[in-house]
Amino acid sequence: MKILVRNLDRTTTEEELRHLFEEFGTVRSCNLVMDKETGASKGFGFVEIPKPGEAKAAIKTLNNKIVGENKIRVKKAETKKPKDNL
């Protein structure tokens, strides 16, 4: 399951984010979204946990948790819908 993590402190690293979610199970992938011009974090990222039960436990436990100085928001990532070319 792909998980969206929002409102991250801009200094949070991918390693810190991965470590936060590894408490709940195996993390297949973890990536922060970076600004292309500045290279700085945009304050959100994605974590993929293959087992649904582990992913749901992570979402339930980590949503609204204070990480650094921010209260993060954690939810299942929405799948992008293909755009119609009309």
Side-chain angles (χ1 to χ4, degrees):
M1 178 184 295
K2 195 165 189 177
I3 300 169
L4 170 64
V5 186
R6 299 181 66 195
N7 203 38
L8 289 166
D9 189 298
R10 308 268 178 180
T11 61
T12 302
T13 65
E14 282 186 6
E15 184 179 321
E16 291 169 331
L17 186 59
R18 177 181 291 273
H19 182 70
L20 189 63
F21 280 83
E22 282 178 336
E23 292 180 37
F24 300 92
T26 303
V27 173
R28 180 181 291 156
S29 66
C30 173
N31 66 303
L32 290 174
V33 177
M34 308 302 266
D35 185 285
K36 289 178 183 172
E37 292 181 18
T38 66
S41 169
K42 287 190 168 188
F44 71 97
F46 297 92
V47 177
E48 188 174 356
I49 298 178
K51 294 184 180 175
E54 294 174 354
K56 288 176 184 174
I59 291 168
K60 184 177 180 181
T61 305
L62 296 175
N63 189 43
N64 292 319
K65 180 180 173 76
I66 302 290
V67 177
E69 295 187 14
N70 292 5
K71 184 188 287 189
I72 64 172
R73 294 190 307 274
V74 183
K75 68 177 194 170
K76 181 178 178 184
E78 303 291 326
T79 53
K80 279 189 175 180
K81 295 178 183 170
K83 293 181 180 179
D84 291 332
N85 292 332
L86 298 176

